[in-house]
Amino acid sequence: MQMPQVRLQSQQAKISLNTTDAAVNIQQPKAEQTIRQPQAEITMHTTPSKLTIDQTQAWNDMDLKSVFKRTEDFAQLGKKSNLEGIARRVQEGKEMMEIEKGGDPIVAQAKRIDERKLKDFAIGWIPSRFSVKIDYQPSHLDIDVNINSPKIKNTPNKPQVAYERGQVDTGILQYQSLKVDFENLKFHGVNGFEINI
């Protein structure tokens, strides 16, 4: 016996997806930097050294005096000799006035006059020690340094970003379908009518 059959054959739809990836391009330009270093400012001030040598006393000790010094010495010597002469004459006059007290003032005075002619002799140095006077003032150096700070300038550059959007393309790769097939299926009509479907 043949059973009537209904055969269904279906096919699902298939969707196609075509994807284009997004692209990002990032570039970072280097920052621009300038550095300027001004030179330091240096000022120097020097006070020169000073050497003073005074040989006046040494020249005087060697009897090589200036006219002014020699005149001054002669004036002092004359004044001293004059005062000594006055004092001596006063003393001698006083001795002569008191001759009645005894003694021999004339002989004593003559003896003193004779002794004055003798000169004392002593060993000495010509010129005398430390007669040359030396004075030295060393030089002085003042240094002033003015340091200038470096001048730095930075100019940052923004990153450059290029972006390409991605894309998805959709389509139908396969359409859906339904196929119906009948087997041993008969239609029975009126008056014994029969037909295969």
Side-chain angles (χ1 to χ4, degrees), residues 29-65:
K30 292 182 179 179
E32 298 175 4
Q33 185 180 66
T34 57
I35 300 176
R36 191 168 66 86
Q37 177 61 67
Q39 293 182 349
E41 298 172 2
I42 301 176
T43 57
M44 291 186 291
H45 178 69
T46 304
T47 303
S49 58
K50 184 178 181 181
L51 175 63
T52 305
I53 301 175
D54 186 3
Q55 304 181 82
T56 305
Q57 185 62 41
W59 291 114
N60 293 341
D61 290 347
M62 294 185 293
D63 200 29
L64 298 173
K65 302 176 183 178

Side-chain angles (χ1 to χ4, degrees), residues 88-96 109 112-113:
R88 187 178 71 250
R89 283 175 178 76
V90 169
Q91 183 181 356
E92 290 174 354
K94 189 175 180 182
E95 289 174 357
M96 293 297 282
Q109 291 176 7
R112 281 199 305 264
I113 291 171

Side-chain angles (χ1 to χ4, degrees), residues 6-172:
V6 177
R7 297 178 184 163
L8 300 174
Q9 186 177 359
S10 65
Q11 175 178 280
Q12 292 183 351
K14 291 183 179 181
I15 299 174
S16 67
L17 297 174
N18 188 7
T19 304
T20 302
D21 292 335
V24 178
N25 185 13
I26 301 175
Q27 292 183 352
Q28 177 61 65
K30 292 182 179 179
E32 298 175 4
Q33 185 180 66
T34 57
I35 300 176
R36 191 168 66 86
Q37 177 61 67
Q39 293 182 349
E41 298 172 2
I42 301 176
T43 57
M44 291 186 291
H45 178 69
T46 304
T47 303
S49 58
K50 184 178 181 181
L51 175 63
T52 305
I53 301 175
D54 186 3
Q55 304 181 82
T56 305
Q57 185 62 41
W59 291 114
N60 293 341
D61 290 347
M62 294 185 293
D63 200 29
L64 298 173
K65 302 176 183 178
S66 67
V67 175
F68 302 105
K69 179 63 176 172
R70 194 171 295 278
T71 304
E72 182 183 350
D73 289 348
F74 283 151
Q76 290 179 358
L77 182 61
K79 183 178 180 181
K80 179 182 176 187
S81 299
N82 186 28
L83 293 175
E84 288 176 355
I86 293 171
R88 187 178 71 250
R89 283 175 178 76
V90 169
Q91 183 181 356
E92 290 174 354
K94 189 175 180 182
E95 289 174 357
M96 293 297 282
M97 280 181 9
E98 297 174 354
I99 196 166
E100 70 278 357
K101 291 183 180 180
D104 194 357
I106 296 174
V107 175
Q109 291 176 7
K111 189 177 179 181
R112 281 199 305 264
I113 291 171
D114 188 52
E115 288 176 353
R116 283 202 312 265
K117 295 180 180 177
L118 297 176
K119 299 289 185 181
D120 292 333
F121 179 75
I123 297 175
W125 302 96
I126 296 177
S128 60
R129 290 186 305 162
F130 308 114
S131 60
V132 178
K133 297 176 178 60
I134 298 175
D135 181 40
Y136 176 71
Q137 295 177 357
S139 62
H140 185 70
L141 177 63
D142 292 325
I143 300 176
D144 185 24
V145 179
N146 185 17
I147 300 175
N148 292 320
S149 301
K151 297 182 179 179
I152 302 174
K153 182 180 179 182
N154 288 319
T155 304
N157 290 319
K158 294 181 179 180
Q160 297 176 355
V161 181
Y163 174 71
E164 294 182 6
R165 297 177 58 182
Q167 186 174 353
V168 178
D169 295 326
T170 59
I172 302 299

